[in-house]
CSV table of all heavy atoms in Angstrom, one decimal:
chain,number,residue,atom,x,y,z
Q,253,PRO,N,120.7,95.9,82.7
Q,253,PRO,CA,121.3,96.7,81.7
Q,253,PRO,C,121.0,96.3,80.2
Q,253,PRO,O,121.7,95.7,79.5
Q,253,PRO,CB,122.8,96.4,82.0
Q,253,PRO,CG,122.8,94.9,82.5
Q,253,PRO,CD,121.5,94.8,83.2
Q,254,ARG,N,119.7,96.7,79.9
Q,254,ARG,CA,119.3,96.3,78.5
Q,254,ARG,C,118.3,97.4,78.1
Q,254,ARG,O,117.4,97.9,78.9
Q,254,ARG,CB,118.7,94.9,78.6
Q,254,ARG,CG,118.2,94.4,77.2
Q,254,ARG,CD,117.6,93.0,77.3
Q,254,ARG,NE,117.0,92.6,76.0
Q,254,ARG,CZ,117.6,91.9,75.2
Q,254,ARG,NH1,118.8,91.4,75.4
Q,254,ARG,NH2,117.1,91.6,74.0
Q,255,ALA,N,118.4,97.8,76.8
Q,255,ALA,CA,117.5,98.8,76.2
Q,255,ALA,C,116.9,98.4,75.0
Q,255,ALA,O,117.4,97.6,74.3
Q,255,ALA,CB,118.3,100.1,76.1
Q,256,VAL,N,115.8,99.0,74.7
Q,256,VAL,CA,115.2,98.8,73.3
Q,256,VAL,C,114.9,100.1,72.6
Q,256,VAL,O,114.5,101.1,73.2
Q,256,VAL,CB,113.9,98.0,73.4
Q,256,VAL,CG1,112.8,98.6,74.3
Q,256,VAL,CG2,113.3,97.6,72.1
Q,257,VAL,N,115.4,100.2,71.3
Q,257,VAL,CA,115.2,101.3,70.5
Q,257,VAL,C,114.0,101.1,69.5
Q,257,VAL,O,114.2,100.1,68.7
Q,257,VAL,CB,116.5,101.8,69.8
Q,257,VAL,CG1,116.2,103.1,68.9
Q,257,VAL,CG2,117.6,101.9,70.8
Q,258,VAL,N,113.0,101.8,69.6
Q,258,VAL,CA,111.8,101.5,68.6
Q,258,VAL,C,111.6,102.8,67.7
Q,258,VAL,O,111.5,103.9,68.3
Q,258,VAL,CB,110.5,101.4,69.5
Q,258,VAL,CG1,109.4,101.0,68.6
Q,258,VAL,CG2,110.8,100.2,70.4
Q,259,TYR,N,111.7,102.6,66.5
Q,259,TYR,CA,111.5,103.8,65.6
Q,259,TYR,C,110.8,103.5,64.3
Q,259,TYR,O,110.8,102.3,63.8
Q,259,TYR,CB,112.8,104.4,65.4
Q,259,TYR,CG,113.7,103.7,64.3
Q,259,TYR,CD1,113.6,104.1,63.0
Q,259,TYR,CD2,114.4,102.5,64.7
Q,259,TYR,CE1,114.4,103.4,62.0
Q,259,TYR,CE2,115.1,101.8,63.7
Q,259,TYR,CZ,115.0,102.3,62.3
Q,259,TYR,OH,115.8,101.6,61.4
Q,260,ASP,N,110.4,104.5,63.6
Q,260,ASP,CA,110.2,104.3,62.1
Q,260,ASP,C,110.8,105.5,61.4
Q,260,ASP,O,111.3,106.5,62.1
Q,260,ASP,CB,108.7,104.2,61.9
Q,260,ASP,CG,108.4,103.3,60.7
Q,260,ASP,OD1,109.3,103.2,59.7
Q,260,ASP,OD2,107.4,102.7,60.6
Q,261,THR,N,110.9,105.5,60.1
Q,261,THR,CA,111.6,106.5,59.4
Q,261,THR,C,111.0,106.6,58.0
Q,261,THR,O,110.3,105.8,57.5
Q,261,THR,CB,113.1,106.1,59.2
Q,261,THR,OG1,113.9,107.1,58.7
Q,261,THR,CG2,113.3,104.8,58.3
Q,262,MET,N,111.1,107.8,57.4
Q,262,MET,CA,110.6,108.1,56.1
Q,262,MET,C,111.8,108.1,55.0
Q,262,MET,O,111.6,107.4,54.0
Q,262,MET,CB,109.8,109.4,56.1
Q,262,MET,CG,108.6,109.4,56.9
Q,262,MET,SD,107.9,111.0,57.2
Q,262,MET,CE,107.3,111.5,55.7
Q,263,TRP,N,112.8,108.9,55.3
Q,263,TRP,CA,113.9,109.0,54.3
Q,263,TRP,C,115.2,108.6,55.0
Q,263,TRP,O,116.2,109.2,54.7
Q,263,TRP,CB,113.9,110.4,53.7
Q,263,TRP,CG,112.7,110.7,52.8
Q,263,TRP,CD1,111.6,111.4,53.3
Q,263,TRP,CD2,112.3,110.0,51.7
Q,263,TRP,NE1,110.6,111.4,52.2
Q,263,TRP,CE2,111.1,110.4,51.4
Q,263,TRP,CE3,112.9,109.1,50.9
Q,263,TRP,CZ2,110.4,110.1,50.1
Q,263,TRP,CZ3,112.4,108.7,49.7
Q,263,TRP,CH2,111.1,109.3,49.3
Q,264,ASN,N,115.1,107.8,56.0
Q,264,ASN,CA,116.3,107.2,56.7
Q,264,ASN,C,117.0,108.1,57.7
Q,264,ASN,O,118.1,107.8,58.2
Q,264,ASN,CB,117.3,106.8,55.6
Q,264,ASN,CG,118.1,105.6,56.0
Q,264,ASN,OD1,117.5,104.6,56.7
Q,264,ASN,ND2,119.4,105.4,55.8
Q,265,SER,N,116.4,109.4,57.9
Q,265,SER,CA,117.1,110.2,58.9
Q,265,SER,C,116.9,109.7,60.3
Q,265,SER,O,117.9,109.5,61.0
Q,265,SER,CB,116.5,111.6,58.8
Q,265,SER,OG,117.0,112.2,57.6
Q,266,THR,N,115.6,109.3,60.6
Q,266,THR,CA,115.4,108.8,62.0
Q,266,THR,C,116.1,107.6,62.1
Q,266,THR,O,116.6,107.2,63.3
Q,266,THR,CB,113.9,108.7,62.2
Q,266,THR,OG1,113.2,109.9,61.8
Q,266,THR,CG2,113.6,108.5,63.8
Q,267,ALA,N,116.3,106.7,61.0
Q,267,ALA,CA,116.9,105.4,61.1
Q,267,ALA,C,118.4,105.6,61.5
Q,267,ALA,O,118.9,105.0,62.3
Q,267,ALA,CB,116.8,104.7,59.8
Q,268,SER,N,119.0,106.6,60.8
Q,268,SER,CA,120.4,106.8,61.2
Q,268,SER,C,120.6,107.3,62.6
Q,268,SER,O,121.7,107.0,63.2
Q,268,SER,CB,121.1,107.7,60.1
Q,268,SER,OG,120.4,109.0,60.1
Q,269,MET,N,119.7,108.0,63.1
Q,269,MET,CA,119.8,108.5,64.5
Q,269,MET,C,119.6,107.3,65.4
Q,269,MET,O,120.3,107.2,66.4
Q,269,MET,CB,118.6,109.5,64.8
Q,269,MET,CG,118.7,110.9,64.0
Q,269,MET,SD,117.3,111.9,64.3
Q,269,MET,CE,117.6,112.5,65.9
Q,270,ALA,N,118.7,106.3,65.0
Q,270,ALA,CA,118.5,105.1,65.9
Q,270,ALA,C,119.8,104.3,66.0
Q,270,ALA,O,120.2,103.9,67.0
Q,270,ALA,CB,117.4,104.3,65.2
Q,271,ASN,N,120.5,104.2,64.8
Q,271,ASN,CA,121.6,103.4,64.8
Q,271,ASN,C,122.8,104.1,65.6
Q,271,ASN,O,123.5,103.5,66.3
Q,271,ASN,CB,122.1,103.1,63.4
Q,271,ASN,CG,121.2,102.2,62.7
Q,271,ASN,OD1,120.6,101.3,63.3
Q,271,ASN,ND2,120.9,102.4,61.5
Q,272,ALA,N,122.9,105.4,65.6
Q,272,ALA,CA,123.9,106.2,66.3
Q,272,ALA,C,123.6,106.0,67.8
Q,272,ALA,O,124.5,105.8,68.7
Q,272,ALA,CB,123.9,107.7,65.9
Q,273,ILE,N,122.4,106.1,68.1
Q,273,ILE,CA,121.9,105.9,69.6
Q,273,ILE,C,122.4,104.4,70.0
Q,273,ILE,O,122.9,104.3,71.2
Q,273,ILE,CB,120.4,106.0,69.8
Q,273,ILE,CG1,120.2,107.5,69.7
Q,273,ILE,CG2,120.0,105.5,71.1
Q,273,ILE,CD1,118.6,107.9,69.5
Q,274,GLY,N,122.2,103.4,69.2
Q,274,GLY,CA,122.6,102.2,69.5
Q,274,GLY,C,124.1,102.0,69.8
Q,274,GLY,O,124.5,101.3,70.7
Q,275,GLU,N,124.9,102.7,69.0
Q,275,GLU,CA,126.3,102.8,69.2
Q,275,GLU,C,126.7,103.4,70.6
Q,275,GLU,O,127.5,102.9,71.2
Q,275,GLU,CB,127.0,103.5,68.0
Q,275,GLU,CG,127.0,102.8,66.8
Q,275,GLU,CD,127.5,101.4,66.8
Q,275,GLU,OE1,128.6,101.2,67.3
Q,275,GLU,OE2,126.7,100.5,66.3
Q,276,GLY,N,126.0,104.4,71.0
Q,276,GLY,CA,126.2,105.0,72.3
Q,276,GLY,C,125.8,104.0,73.3
Q,276,GLY,O,126.5,103.8,74.4
Q,277,LEU,N,124.7,103.2,73.1
Q,277,LEU,CA,124.4,102.2,74.2
Q,277,LEU,C,125.4,101.2,74.2
Q,277,LEU,O,125.8,100.7,75.4
Q,277,LEU,CB,123.0,101.6,73.8
Q,277,LEU,CG,121.7,102.4,74.0
Q,277,LEU,CD1,120.6,101.8,73.1
Q,277,LEU,CD2,121.4,102.6,75.4
Q,278,ARG,N,126.0,100.7,73.1
Q,278,ARG,CA,127.0,99.8,73.1
Q,278,ARG,C,128.3,100.3,73.9
Q,278,ARG,O,128.8,99.4,74.6
Q,278,ARG,CB,127.5,99.6,71.6
Q,278,ARG,CG,128.3,98.3,71.4
Q,278,ARG,CD,129.0,98.2,70.0
Q,278,ARG,NE,128.2,98.4,68.9
Q,278,ARG,CZ,127.5,97.4,68.4
Q,278,ARG,NH1,127.6,96.2,68.9
Q,278,ARG,NH2,126.7,97.5,67.4
Q,279,GLU,N,128.6,101.5,73.7
Q,279,GLU,CA,129.8,102.1,74.4
Q,279,GLU,C,129.6,102.1,75.9
Q,279,GLU,O,130.5,102.0,76.6
Q,279,GLU,CB,130.0,103.5,73.9
Q,279,GLU,CG,130.8,103.5,72.6
Q,279,GLU,CD,131.2,105.0,72.2
Q,279,GLU,OE1,131.1,105.9,73.1
Q,279,GLU,OE2,131.5,105.2,71.0
Q,280,SER,N,128.3,102.2,76.3
Q,280,SER,CA,128.0,102.3,77.7
Q,280,SER,C,127.8,100.9,78.4
Q,280,SER,O,127.6,100.8,79.5
Q,280,SER,CB,126.8,103.1,78.0
Q,280,SER,OG,125.7,102.4,77.5
Q,281,GLY,N,128.0,99.9,77.4
Q,281,GLY,CA,128.1,98.5,78.0
Q,281,GLY,C,126.6,98.0,78.3
Q,281,GLY,O,126.5,97.1,79.1
Q,282,VAL,N,125.6,98.5,77.6
Q,282,VAL,CA,124.2,98.1,77.8
Q,282,VAL,C,123.9,97.3,76.6
Q,282,VAL,O,124.2,97.7,75.5
Q,282,VAL,CB,123.3,99.4,78.1
Q,282,VAL,CG1,121.9,98.9,77.9
Q,282,VAL,CG2,123.6,100.0,79.4
Q,283,ASP,N,123.2,96.1,76.9
Q,283,ASP,CA,122.7,95.3,75.8
Q,283,ASP,C,121.5,96.1,75.1
Q,283,ASP,O,120.8,96.8,75.8
Q,283,ASP,CB,122.2,94.0,76.2
Q,283,ASP,CG,123.3,93.2,76.7
Q,283,ASP,OD1,124.5,93.3,76.2
Q,283,ASP,OD2,123.2,92.3,77.5
Q,284,PHE,N,121.3,95.9,73.8
Q,284,PHE,CA,120.1,96.6,73.2
Q,284,PHE,C,119.6,95.9,71.9
Q,284,PHE,O,120.4,95.1,71.4
Q,284,PHE,CB,120.5,98.0,72.8
Q,284,PHE,CG,121.6,98.1,71.7
Q,284,PHE,CD1,121.2,98.3,70.4
Q,284,PHE,CD2,123.0,98.1,72.0
Q,284,PHE,CE1,122.2,98.4,69.4
Q,284,PHE,CE2,123.9,98.1,71.1
Q,284,PHE,CZ,123.5,98.3,69.8
Q,285,LYS,N,118.5,96.2,71.6
Q,285,LYS,CA,118.0,95.7,70.4
Q,285,LYS,C,117.2,97.0,69.7
Q,285,LYS,O,116.6,97.8,70.4
Q,285,LYS,CB,116.9,94.8,70.7
Q,285,LYS,CG,116.6,93.7,69.6
Q,285,LYS,CD,116.1,92.5,69.9
Q,285,LYS,CE,116.7,91.2,69.2
Q,285,LYS,NZ,116.0,89.9,69.5
Q,286,ILE,N,117.4,97.0,68.4
Q,286,ILE,CA,116.8,98.1,67.6
Q,286,ILE,C,115.6,97.5,66.8
Q,286,ILE,O,115.9,96.6,66.1
Q,286,ILE,CB,117.8,98.8,66.6
Q,286,ILE,CG1,118.9,99.5,67.4
Q,286,ILE,CG2,117.1,99.8,65.8
Q,286,ILE,CD1,120.0,100.1,66.7
Q,287,LEU,N,114.5,98.1,67.0
Q,287,LEU,CA,113.3,97.6,66.3
Q,287,LEU,C,112.7,98.5,65.4
Q,287,LEU,O,111.9,99.5,65.9
Q,287,LEU,CB,112.2,97.0,67.3
Q,287,LEU,CG,112.7,95.9,68.3
Q,287,LEU,CD1,111.5,95.6,69.2
Q,287,LEU,CD2,113.1,94.7,67.5
Q,288,PRO,N,112.9,98.5,64.0
Q,288,PRO,CA,112.3,99.3,63.1
Q,288,PRO,C,110.8,98.9,63.0
Q,288,PRO,O,110.6,97.7,62.7
Q,288,PRO,CB,113.1,99.1,61.8
Q,288,PRO,CG,114.2,98.2,62.2
Q,288,PRO,CD,113.9,97.5,63.5
Q,289,MET,N,109.9,99.9,63.2
Q,289,MET,CA,108.5,99.4,63.2
Q,289,MET,C,108.0,99.0,61.7
Q,289,MET,O,107.0,98.4,61.6
Q,289,MET,CB,107.6,100.5,63.7
Q,289,MET,CG,107.6,100.6,65.3
Q,289,MET,SD,107.7,99.1,66.1
Q,289,MET,CE,106.1,98.4,65.7
Q,290,SER,N,108.8,99.4,60.7
Q,290,SER,CA,108.4,98.9,59.3
Q,290,SER,C,108.5,97.4,59.2
Q,290,SER,O,107.8,96.8,58.4
Q,290,SER,CB,109.4,99.5,58.3
Q,290,SER,OG,110.8,99.3,58.6
Q,291,VAL,N,109.3,96.8,60.0
Q,291,VAL,CA,109.4,95.3,60.1
Q,291,VAL,C,109.3,94.7,61.2
Q,291,VAL,O,109.6,93.5,61.5
Q,291,VAL,CB,110.9,95.0,59.4
Q,291,VAL,CG1,110.9,95.3,58.0
Q,291,VAL,CG2,112.0,95.6,60.3
Q,292,SER,N,108.8,95.4,62.3
Q,292,SER,CA,108.6,94.8,63.6
Q,292,SER,C,107.1,94.8,64.0
Q,292,SER,O,106.4,95.6,63.7
Q,292,SER,CB,109.4,95.6,64.7
Q,292,SER,OG,110.7,95.7,64.3
Q,293,HIS,N,106.7,93.7,64.8
Q,293,HIS,CA,105.4,93.7,65.3
Q,293,HIS,C,105.2,94.1,66.7
Q,293,HIS,O,106.1,94.0,67.5
Q,293,HIS,CB,104.9,92.2,65.2
Q,293,HIS,CG,103.4,92.1,65.3
Q,293,HIS,ND1,102.7,92.1,66.6
Q,293,HIS,CD2,102.4,92.1,64.4
Q,293,HIS,CE1,101.4,92.0,66.2
Q,293,HIS,NE2,101.2,91.9,65.0
Q,294,ARG,N,104.2,94.8,66.9
Q,294,ARG,CA,104.0,95.5,68.3
Q,294,ARG,C,104.1,94.4,69.4
Q,294,ARG,O,104.6,94.7,70.5
Q,294,ARG,CB,102.6,96.1,68.4
Q,294,ARG,CG,101.3,95.2,68.4
Q,294,ARG,CD,100.1,96.0,68.5
Q,294,ARG,NE,99.6,96.6,67.3
Q,294,ARG,CZ,98.8,95.8,66.5
Q,294,ARG,NH1,98.5,94.6,66.6
Q,294,ARG,NH2,98.5,96.4,65.3
Q,295,SER,N,103.7,93.2,69.2
Q,295,SER,CA,103.8,92.3,70.2
Q,295,SER,C,105.2,91.9,70.5
Q,295,SER,O,105.6,91.4,71.7
Q,295,SER,CB,102.9,91.0,70.0
Q,295,SER,OG,103.2,90.5,68.7
Q,296,ASP,N,106.2,91.9,69.5
Q,296,ASP,CA,107.5,91.7,69.8
Q,296,ASP,C,108.2,92.9,70.5
Q,296,ASP,O,109.1,92.6,71.3
Q,296,ASP,CB,108.2,91.3,68.4
Q,296,ASP,CG,107.7,90.0,68.0
Q,296,ASP,OD1,107.7,89.1,68.8
Q,296,ASP,OD2,107.6,89.9,66.7
Q,297,VAL,N,107.6,94.0,70.2
Q,297,VAL,CA,108.1,95.2,71.0
Q,297,VAL,C,107.8,95.1,72.5
Q,297,VAL,O,108.6,95.3,73.4
Q,297,VAL,CB,107.5,96.5,70.4
Q,297,VAL,CG1,107.9,97.7,71.4
Q,297,VAL,CG2,107.9,96.8,69.0
Q,298,ALA,N,106.7,94.6,72.8
Q,298,ALA,CA,106.1,94.3,74.1
Q,298,ALA,C,107.2,93.4,74.8
Q,298,ALA,O,107.5,93.6,75.9
Q,298,ALA,CB,104.8,93.7,74.1
Side-chain angles (χ1 to χ4, degrees):
Chain Q
R254 187 179 170 93
V256 57
V257 181
V258 180
Y259 79 95
D260 213 332
T261 195
M262 291 166 69
W263 296 106
N264 216 38
S265 291
T266 315
S268 59
M269 295 173 77
N271 290 324
I273 288 167
E275 291 309 310
L277 288 166
R278 191 196 306 279
E279 281 185 17
S280 67
V282 164
D283 293 332
F284 66 94
K285 207 161 218 183
I286 298 180
L287 297 179
M289 287 316 297
S290 52
V291 292
S292 305
H293 196 273
R294 67 175 84 83
S295 51
D296 292 319
V297 173

